Amino acid sequence: MRNLSIIQDFFDREIDLPVGELQADSRCITEGDVFVAMKGQLQDGRRYIEKAVELGARAVIYENGDGFVFSSDSVVSLGVAGLSEKIPEMASRFYGEPSRAIKVIGVTGTNGKSSVTYYIAQLLAGSGHRCAIIGTVGSGFIDDLKPALNTTPGPIELQKLLAGFVEAGAEFVAMEVSSHGIAQGRINGVHFFSTMFTNLSRDHLDFHKTMEAYFAVKENFILANSDKTVVLNYDDSMIRNELLPKLDRNNVITVGMDDGADIVISAPVATDSGTSFKLREGKSGEQQLSVPLIGLFNVYNAVMAKAMVDRLVGNKDLSLKKLGCLRPLIGRMELFKNGRSPLCIVDFAHTPDGLQKAITAAREHTAGSLIVVCGCGGDRDTGKRPAMGRIATTLADRVVFTNDNPRTEDPEKIMKQIIDGVERNNFEVEYDRRTAIAGAITAATDRDLVLIAGKGHENYQIIGTVKHHYSDQEVVKEVIAGL
């Protein structure tokens, strides 16, 4: 067991109490744990103190900056003003500052975070180094990922994960760093060893309001952790023009198709097994390479991952060989086909930029017609919906608009906003996602390609406030098996 004396300087008195885990969710309390009752934007954790005590909490740390007081004869109660701001560092200290015992690679950007972290972990494993992942598709080691609630976990859960990886013998953690996670301070107790910025395009403007504010959050994360290696997408104009001049170039590696990049990608060609391309690093000659991945954006992701791994462990020849063996991440340009079916791709693309890149990549592998099945999530950035409709109908031969995660919004309202952006009458609407996918696949020939975008790895669909089991992959496998 740990002892609260580890973090006693956060309190107004000395404390010596053996305890179990820190828990911000009262439902997770087991005998001897500490319940951390924070006052959030949507929930006031202090409402659940009595429940936590009933479940066996040995101590309660609560927000008292507004005059709230909790006292009990059965548990230790500790009031802390500004608890939400202090808990990241408090949790880090409580769990032994695990990010100082492991090299944490922070990957931020609108798209590509999940794939890059997955590729980093594979390349490090190929070099004999154990690397864990924290992100959208889950947390853990690459062959044993546990589901994640958020791209960037809350500060207590994040420190628990890092401590667990240290105990499991990991040398590195490749971690997705979302703009929400940065803005809400979830990462404040983490010491980053190196960072990466993949790209910037429209997303999360329901939260950040403007692209300038969205960029600033990510830029500040990079600048705050720029004393070690930073890998940047040189072809992203905001990263190149706004962020790069503020960094020490000795710490930076840039990747892009522009000749000004440190590592230059050129001549990408779609192949039956993925994508081939040429790569030039510094003053060395070009090398012809291939990756078993669909899309130019995945070439960027793979090469940026390689650049990071090369700087971390210095084994360029081995990482070059391992590029050709990379496995795609579940729900990221994931391929499905049998002898009679069209080629089907399931991808997480849920932003205008992501959808455009996914369709463009899919077109390179399409012999016949390109059919896209997509929608937009409810209770999220409404401004991107017309752009999604325009991109889909402009770039695809046929489009089926359907539900994504409508959440508490009216699906018809979401659909109207998508259709407001269409520029061609080459679409139909089918609200039931399973029916939409099945119809698109069965109507296609074996020369066609069906791209199913928006949900990727997700194995659920949120309708109202209820999360229902649902998987695009399961639907695709079921349909093509019956052809």
Side-chain angles (χ1 to χ4, degrees):
M1 297 185 81
R2 295 176 175 86
N3 196 300
L4 276 182
S5 62
I6 300 169
I7 53 173
Q8 68 179 14
D9 56 340
F10 285 93
F11 314 125
D12 59 5
R13 61 188 173 95
E14 290 188 4
I15 183 78
D16 181 7
L17 184 70
V19 292
E21 306 286 347
L22 298 183
Q23 303 287 5
D25 187 335
S26 63
R27 295 167 296 185
C28 298
I29 291 287
T30 59
E31 191 70 34
D33 285 347
V34 180
F35 180 51
V36 181
M38 291 178 283
K39 185 179 180 181
Q41 291 181 325
L42 300 178
Q43 289 269 24
D44 188 339
R46 298 173 299 186
R47 295 172 51 199
Y48 304 98
I49 289 176
E50 295 293 346
K51 181 65 175 177
V53 173
E54 289 175 13
L55 290 171
R58 182 167 292 166
V60 174
I61 301 173
Y62 66 93
E63 170 64 55
N64 72 347
D66 58 357
F68 177 91
V69 175
F70 169 75
S71 63
S72 170
D73 294 333
S74 59
V75 300
V76 171
S77 60
L78 300 161
V80 177
L83 179 58
S84 296
E85 291 74 33
K86 294 174 182 176
I87 195 60
E89 185 59 37
M90 188 185 294
S92 174
R93 294 257 297 279
F94 183 82
Y95 286 102
E97 296 190 285
S99 60
R100 292 190 183 276
I102 196 169
K103 294 181 174 68
V104 182
I105 307 157
V107 181
T108 197
T110 305
N111 298 307
K113 297 186 297 296
S114 296
S115 292
V116 167
T117 56
Y118 195 61
Y119 300 156
I120 287 172
Q122 289 183 64
L123 292 172
L124 282 170
S127 298
H129 300 274
R130 192 162 167 78
C131 179
I133 294 172
I134 297 175
T136 308
V137 297
S139 300
F141 296 96
I142 53 179
D143 295 319
D144 186 26
L145 294 175
K146 303 297 190 297
L149 179 62
N150 296 307
T151 297
T152 304
I156 294 174
E157 183 60 28
L158 179 53
Q159 295 299 332
K160 286 181 190 176
L161 285 169
L162 292 171
F165 296 149
V166 172
E167 291 175 8
E171 297 175 66
F172 298 92
V173 177
M175 174 181 164
E176 293 183 53
V177 180
S178 69
S179 57
H180 286 74
I182 301 166
Q184 294 170 352
R186 296 181 223 156
I187 62 167
N188 287 358
V190 179
H191 304 277
F192 288 92
F193 186 79
S194 55
T195 58
M196 181 184 296
F197 198 157
T198 60
N199 50 61
L200 187 87
S201 63
R202 180 178 181 128
D203 200 12
H204 304 307
L205 295 195
D206 53 320
F207 182 81
H208 297 288
K209 307 306 179 187
T210 67
M211 285 295 294
E212 290 75 17
Y214 178 39
F215 174 73
V217 168
K218 292 181 178 292
E219 179 187 51
N220 289 338
F221 164 70
I222 298 292
L223 292 174
N225 299 280
S226 61
D227 56 331
K228 297 287 197 316
T229 298
V230 179
V231 176
L232 301 177
N233 180 345
Y234 189 77
D235 292 345
D236 187 292
S237 60
M238 289 193 75
I239 293 174
R240 181 179 66 249
N241 298 328
E242 301 294 329
L243 173 59
L244 184 57
K246 301 174 184 176
L247 296 170
D248 180 348
R249 280 303 261 120
N250 292 319
N251 296 335
V252 178
I253 306 170
T254 58
V255 174
M257 297 189 74
D258 188 294
D259 283 340
D262 299 319
I263 302 176
V264 180
I265 301 164
S266 62
V269 176
T271 68
D272 291 340
S273 58
T275 309
S276 68
F277 60 98
K278 293 180 180 179
L279 194 69
R280 186 179 76 250
E281 299 188 54
K283 297 179 180 179
S284 62
E286 285 186 331
Q287 299 184 68
Q288 184 69 47
L289 301 171
S290 64
V291 288
L293 307 169
I294 300 295
L296 177 59
F297 58 89
N298 255 325
V299 173
Y300 275 81
N301 293 338
V303 174
M304 291 183 77
K306 175 191 175 301
M308 177 63 76
V309 170
D310 288 347
R311 180 65 68 93
L312 293 175
V313 301
N315 198 338
K316 291 188 176 183
D317 290 339
L318 184 57
S319 61
L320 273 175
K321 293 177 183 177
K322 293 297 179 181
L323 276 181
C325 304
L326 288 176
R327 290 176 287 154
L329 187 60
I330 180 173
R332 302 304 196 274
M333 298 304 282
E334 189 176 6
L335 301 177
F336 299 88
K337 183 172 173 54
N338 66 26
R340 298 172 300 280
S341 77
L343 180 63
C344 299
I345 297 177
V346 173
D347 190 67
F348 191 50
H350 60 284
T351 66
D353 180 66
L355 184 63
Q356 180 172 347
K357 287 177 177 176
I359 297 175
T360 301
R363 176 66 73 184
E364 295 294 318
H365 295 264
T366 305
S369 295
L370 174 55
I371 302 105
V372 172
V373 180
C374 66
C376 289
D379 301 335
R380 297 293 186 270
D381 181 8
T382 60
K384 70 181 180 182
R385 294 171 185 171
M388 298 281 278
R390 175 183 55 78
I391 288 166
T393 53
T394 300
L395 299 181
D397 297 307
R398 187 162 65 87
V399 181
V400 183
F401 291 121
T402 189
N403 277 342
D404 191 291
N405 292 316
R407 299 184 178 88
T408 64
E409 268 198 87
D410 179 0
E412 292 189 6
K413 175 186 173 184
I414 297 171
M415 195 63 67
K416 181 181 184 303
Q417 291 175 336
I418 295 171
I419 293 172
D420 280 346
V422 304
E423 296 190 354
R424 293 202 295 160
N425 189 27
N426 59 340
F427 69 92
E428 59 186 278
V429 173
E430 171 52 65
Y431 287 97
D432 183 83
R433 192 171 180 92
R434 181 181 296 272
T435 302
I437 292 171
I441 293 173
T442 54
T445 72
D446 60 1
R447 289 173 50 81
D448 297 339
L449 188 150
V450 181
L451 171 65
I452 299 134
K455 293 183 62 60
H457 64 283
E458 293 179 353
N459 61 359
Y460 58 84
Q461 187 174 35
I462 304 172
I463 301 173
T465 58
V466 179
K467 184 180 283 189
H468 303 268
H469 176 78
Y470 171 84
S471 163
D472 281 349
Q473 286 94 335
E474 290 176 9
V475 174
V476 171
K477 290 176 184 177
E478 178 184 322
V479 174
I480 67 175
L483 293 178

